[in-house]
Amino acid sequence: MRKVLTGNVAVAYGAMLADVQVVPAYPITPQTTIIEELATMQAEGLVDLDYIRVESEHSAMAACIGASMGGARAFTATCGQGLFLMHEMLHYATGARTPVVLANVNRAAAAPWTIWSDQTDSVSQRETGWIQLYCEGNQEVLDTTIMAFKIAETLRLPAMIVLDAFFLSHTSEPIDIPDRETVRDFLPPFDPGDLWLDPNNPRTFGGITMSDAYMEFRWQIQRDMEKAKGVITEVHEEFAKVFGRKYHQVEAYRAEDADVVMVVSGTVASTGRDAIDLLREKGHQVGMIKLKTLRPFPREEIIAVLKGKKKVAIIDRNFSPGATGIWAQEIRSALYELPEGDRPLIYGYIAGLGGRDISVKIIEGIYQKTVKDDRPDDVDMWIGVNYV
Amino acid sequence: MYSLNQRFDNRDIPEDELLTSGNVACAGCGASLSMRLALKGLGKPTVLAVPACCWTIIPGAWPLSIMDVPFFHCAFETTAATISGIKAAYRKRGMDDICVVGWAGDGGTFDIGIQALSGTAERNDDVLYVCYDNEAYMNTGIQRSGATPIGSWTTTTPVKNPKSEQKKDIDAIMIAHKIPYLATATAAYPHDMIAKFKKARSIKGMRFIHLFAACPTGWRMPENLSIKVMRLAVLSNIFPLYEVENGETYRQTVIPDEIMPIDEYMHLQGRFRHLTDEDVKEFQKMVDKRFGHLREDFEKKN
């Protein structure tokens, strides 16, 4: 079935098709239409879920963890301040090994108040042990929501679908809605195994550990996060086989023969492809990679694309005050292990914070500066800022 | 009728033990005894979620546990939200008969957990929330909480600057939520307490039980005084035992033979040792005033 859906409604369709069982939900702009749509779907009997109208995002995630410990498939959605409030519970979900799925609509941080898009909220959760899956378009949003459950439940790690505020959340696109039974074959009901609060098998979860045990629990998370790279690829491949759409953790575009490679994530990838095409028409040897996963970080795949390139230009719609953009940090650290001859120069750019547009022209400008400068600046270049 | 030295016939207390020996509570711990009796009242199938509190420690460190019911250690402020989630999962999975219990200390209930607690109560989720109240952050080492009585010494309200605010009236707050069932209880009157847990189990919707749980370590008293002090709290109207249905029908369940002055209760505990006779008199007035309001409710609503 083909429908015209906003990114937020696409998330709700994904959760509905995944037969999500428990949805603790709290409103926040621009996420709200996700949970509104799920409330409507429940009221109309389209999905058999238990909807908990919690009093905060913190409780939303706590209730998701509880529901998951009770053996149910749990889902919620938030953005910006809501994700910041959840932070403690994001760590908890990972530690408790609850495969909760969360849709985060990228919203910039207050103060000052803003509801517009940037990635500061999600990249600030980098160390929580959540799988993070960034999306470029609404079809990818819907498909990723379905895949996120499969990935999370396979690994017993929580997973976050990430979509740009307004550029996706409130923008409509025609998308294919997969057939429900086919999704059920692809994603069987959640099987908690013996890791749930089973009254017939009374066990204690999360009890205090001493320093002789804690590190092993953390190591298991790291082990499974490394495993996640393979699992995500397998799920992408299986999804492609069943539904005909293929996704990648690292998607290269015209990068093979490029001297300069731009690195983007989220909706900037669509604009980026246009910019690359225009530059190519003018004879520039330029390509692009779109990154879908921040965690686990796809080091090996990135190295495979960027090895031997002259220059890499990374566009971060986020930044870490006192340091650099997060994708730039990650890529610098991944590429450092290359021998000097194969190691590209890395140029970091901060752009599009608080919903400011990243246009084709801006991406072209970033490319031109990258070509012109022999060496990158010591700090990331801020694009389009009126310094006052 | 109830008095200080009364003996109870314990033959009708359920023999089943849903926790084993070997817990690591302090000697004389009121919270430890409370759990034992609560589970006797509840029976199986019961599932517990417990936040940061003394009961994080009491069941034993991983991989040991004294519990014979599933037990989830949740984050400090999330007890109520966690049990809402657990219950929703069971409901969806056709296991609605499981009694889902949140078990939190006074800090986790009066202070950091009150937002989630209010949410769960307002939604009337089908869960039982138990607060075992030992009147301070005892697990972190006796710091003042919203449940600490006025005048009390704690490590953050030292003798030269004891707590200057009254104890938060959590029961009134919960009653105002019009929940189906609220009860106060203490392990020093075990039959009353077990009956309340049995009753709570039989009721659908949000239930709240406020337990008065002596803490010899934090109250600065010998451990063999726990039961006596818990009884004195009841007999002197510091912690009256009653239940309230739907926020309106009050019933006092333990009516003292005679109401005792608070003096003995206060004098047995080091946390009140610095108080003058005048201070104790003021405290007594406060207790009388509060019980006066409650008595009106007991009389009016019956």
Side-chain angles (χ1 to χ4, degrees):
Chain A
M1 186 176 42
R2 214 161 157 77
K3 273 194 168 184
V4 177
L5 301 182
T6 64
N8 277 355
V9 176
V11 170
Y13 267 86
M16 181 258 273
L17 290 168
D19 288 322
V20 56
Q21 292 170 292
V22 178
V23 177
Y26 191 78
I28 180 171
T29 305
Q31 169 280 121
T32 311
T33 52
I34 298 176
I35 61 156
E36 285 177 348
E37 186 68 26
L38 281 166
T40 305
M41 286 171 169
Q42 183 212 27
E44 290 179 359
L46 296 172
V47 58
D48 179 27
L49 59 83
D50 204 294
Y51 197 106
I52 312 177
R53 291 152 185 92
V54 287
E55 86 304 324
S56 72
E57 291 91 350
H58 196 280
S59 283
M61 187 47 62
C64 278
I65 293 167
S68 191
M69 286 305 302
R73 183 171 282 164
F75 171 84
T76 191
T78 192
C79 61
Q81 305 302 120
L83 192 67
F84 295 129
L85 182 59
M86 276 182 190
H87 177 76
E88 180 200 13
M89 300 320 295
L90 298 181
H91 278 288
Y92 219 96
T94 305
R97 302 306 298 259
T98 48
V100 174
V101 171
L102 159 77
N104 181 65
V105 181
N106 273 141
R107 167 176 159 177
W113 279 117
T114 172
I115 55 169
W116 306 102
S117 193
D118 75 39
Q119 298 173 335
T120 304
D121 54 358
S122 56
V123 299
S124 297
Q125 315 310 324
R126 191 175 55 162
E127 271 72 76
T128 58
W130 279 63
I131 292 160
Q132 290 197 10
L133 305 163
Y134 289 75
C135 296
E136 178 189 344
N138 293 346
Q139 184 72 60
E140 185 173 1
V141 166
L142 189 152
D143 295 346
T144 302
T145 305
I146 295 166
M147 289 189 288
F149 287 99
K150 196 172 176 86
I151 294 163
E153 288 166 14
T154 303
L155 294 155
R156 284 202 74 105
L157 284 171
M160 189 185 298
I161 307 132
V162 187
L163 59 151
D164 291 341
F166 300 105
F167 300 115
L168 292 185
S169 68
H170 288 66
T171 305
S172 297
E173 289 187 282
I175 60 178
D176 276 322
I177 298 173
D179 167 67
R180 196 154 189 178
E181 286 310 315
T182 315
V183 175
R184 281 179 179 148
D185 287 342
F186 173 78
L187 178 72
F190 173 43
D191 173 11
D194 61 355
L195 289 179
W196 65 286
L197 297 163
D198 179 358
N200 296 317
N201 180 20
R203 297 164 74 187
T204 297
F205 294 92
I208 191 156
T209 49
M210 297 301 158
S211 43
D212 62 348
Y214 180 83
M215 216 162 155
E216 281 68 22
F217 283 107
R218 293 291 125 173
W219 172 78
Q220 289 177 1
I221 292 167
Q222 168 61 10
R223 177 198 64 195
D224 294 343
M225 207 37 132
E226 281 298 318
K227 227 187 268 177
K229 295 176 188 175
V231 169
I232 294 169
T233 301
E234 282 163 24
V235 171
H236 282 165
E237 278 166 5
E238 194 187 333
F239 190 90
K241 227 178 276 170
V242 178
F243 300 100
R245 289 182 293 274
K246 181 78 195 279
Y247 298 98
H248 306 269
Q249 292 171 73
V250 176
E251 187 182 309
Y253 182 70
R254 303 184 81 165
E256 209 160 305
D257 62 342
D259 294 328
V260 176
V261 177
M262 321 272 294
V263 180
V264 298
S265 56
T267 51
V268 185
S270 299
T271 324
R273 276 194 207 86
D274 282 353
I276 301 299
D277 289 345
L278 283 169
L279 287 165
R280 282 274 180 177
E281 276 172 30
K282 293 176 195 162
H284 298 280
Q285 293 289 101
V286 61
M288 183 187 91
I289 58 177
K290 163 191 158 185
L291 297 177
K292 185 168 177 63
T293 46
L294 175 61
R295 283 292 180 272
F297 192 69
R299 278 176 64 249
E300 299 82 354
E301 288 189 47
I302 287 173
I303 290 171
V305 180
L306 298 182
K307 183 182 169 185
K309 302 297 180 196
K310 287 191 183 131
K311 293 179 175 180
V312 172
I314 300 154
I315 303 178
D316 266 297
R317 189 172 233 154
N318 68 74
F319 81 110
S320 174
T324 67
I326 297 301
W327 297 102
Q329 282 182 26
E330 297 284 346
I331 290 166
R332 280 196 186 95
S333 124
L335 297 189
Y336 188 77
E337 68 184 60
L338 287 172
E340 210 166 331
D342 286 337
R343 196 192 301 151
L345 289 168
I346 297 171
Y347 295 70
Y349 298 93
I350 307 295
L353 300 184
R356 195 170 291 192
D357 197 19
I358 302 178
S359 63
V360 169
K361 203 173 150 204
I362 284 171
I363 296 173
E364 279 188 296
I366 287 171
Y367 168 75
Q368 299 295 357
K369 179 172 163 54
T370 305
V371 170
K372 183 171 82 53
D373 293 355
D374 290 338
R375 304 273 319 161
D377 294 326
D378 288 343
V379 292
D380 287 354
M381 176 86 184
W382 284 56
I383 300 301
V385 176
N386 299 311
Y387 294 99
V388 285
Chain B
M1 298 303 266
Y2 290 84
S3 60
L4 185 60
N5 295 315
Q6 129 185 55
R7 292 184 163 274
F8 292 105
D9 181 354
N10 288 338
R11 282 174 297 185
D12 56 347
I13 287 183
E15 281 183 22
D16 283 354
E17 298 286 357
L18 298 187
L19 39 75
T20 69
S21 59
N23 81 56
V24 297
C26 304
C29 174
S32 160
L33 179 59
S34 295
M35 177 70 91
R36 184 177 170 211
L37 295 176
L39 290 176
K40 283 176 181 289
L42 290 171
K44 286 185 173 182
T46 291
V47 168
L48 286 167
V50 178
C53 60
C54 289
W55 259 99
T56 309
I57 307 300
I58 293 171
W62 182 90
L64 303 174
S65 173
I66 62 165
M67 306 307 299
D68 194 28
V69 294
F71 187 110
F72 181 58
H73 290 269
C74 64
F76 203 174
E77 66 279 52
T78 68
T79 313
T82 302
I83 55 178
S84 290
I86 295 172
K87 185 67 191 186
Y90 289 152
R91 202 161 37 226
K92 275 295 119 188
R93 302 183 70 204
M95 305 174 199
D96 209 12
D97 61 321
I98 301 169
C99 184
V100 179
V101 181
W103 181 275
D106 49 284
T109 303
F110 288 61
D111 294 349
I112 198 170
I114 196 169
Q115 175 178 325
L117 173 59
S118 176
T120 296
E122 182 268 329
R123 294 189 303 274
N124 195 25
D125 285 347
D126 185 26
V127 293
L128 168 59
Y129 188 106
V130 182
C131 170
Y132 68 97
D133 178 5
N134 49 30
E135 301 199 314
Y137 290 87
M138 295 310 186
N139 194 40
T140 43
I142 325 166
Q143 291 79 33
R144 167 220 196 271
S145 80
T148 304
I150 190 167
S152 183
W153 162 90
T154 68
T155 58
T156 51
T157 50
V159 165
K160 285 186 178 168
N161 186 23
K163 195 190 179 203
S164 54
E165 304 84 17
Q166 288 195 39
K167 176 170 179 147
K168 192 189 281 186
D169 193 346
I170 194 74
D171 304 321
I173 292 169
M174 296 313 295
I175 290 165
H177 283 76
K178 310 284 182 214
I179 54 177
Y181 187 69
L182 172 140
T184 62
T186 173
Y189 291 109
H191 292 79
D192 177 72
M193 177 174 159
I194 288 172
K196 284 167 176 168
F197 274 87
K198 280 187 174 159
K199 185 168 181 177
R201 177 157 197 134
S202 74
I203 292 172
K204 260 226 154 330
M206 175 70 176
R207 295 140 283 161
F208 181 85
I209 296 183
H210 182 185
L211 298 176
F212 194 67
C215 173
T217 310
W219 293 2
R220 292 295 191 245
M221 62 182 200
E223 62 269 18
N224 63 348
L225 289 183
S226 282
I227 300 292
K228 183 174 187 182
V229 163
M230 288 195 277
R231 285 192 180 180
L232 284 168
V234 174
L235 299 176
S236 59
N237 283 339
I238 286 174
F239 197 84
L241 300 186
Y242 61 100
E243 57 187 15
V244 185
E245 289 179 48
N246 303 313
E248 50 187 33
T249 314
Y250 288 67
R251 191 171 76 88
Q252 190 176 13
T253 58
V254 170
I255 299 169
D257 287 349
E258 59 174 324
I259 293 163
M260 299 177 69
I262 64 166
D263 300 60
E264 190 179 1
Y265 174 82
M266 304 295 277
H267 290 148
L268 287 174
Q269 301 177 58
R271 60 175 172 157
F272 298 124
R273 187 173 297 136
H274 55 280
L275 296 183
T276 63
D277 290 350
E278 206 46 46
D279 292 334
V280 174
K281 268 185 204 152
E282 283 302 308
F283 202 112
Q284 179 74 61
K285 276 188 211 160
M286 227 173 47
V287 169
D288 292 344
K289 190 175 168 194
R290 180 164 170 269
F291 187 75
H293 292 312
L294 260 181
R295 187 162 45 208
E296 282 171 27
D297 287 322
F298 295 152
E299 286 163 3
K300 184 174 61 187
K301 309 287 167 115
N302 272 337

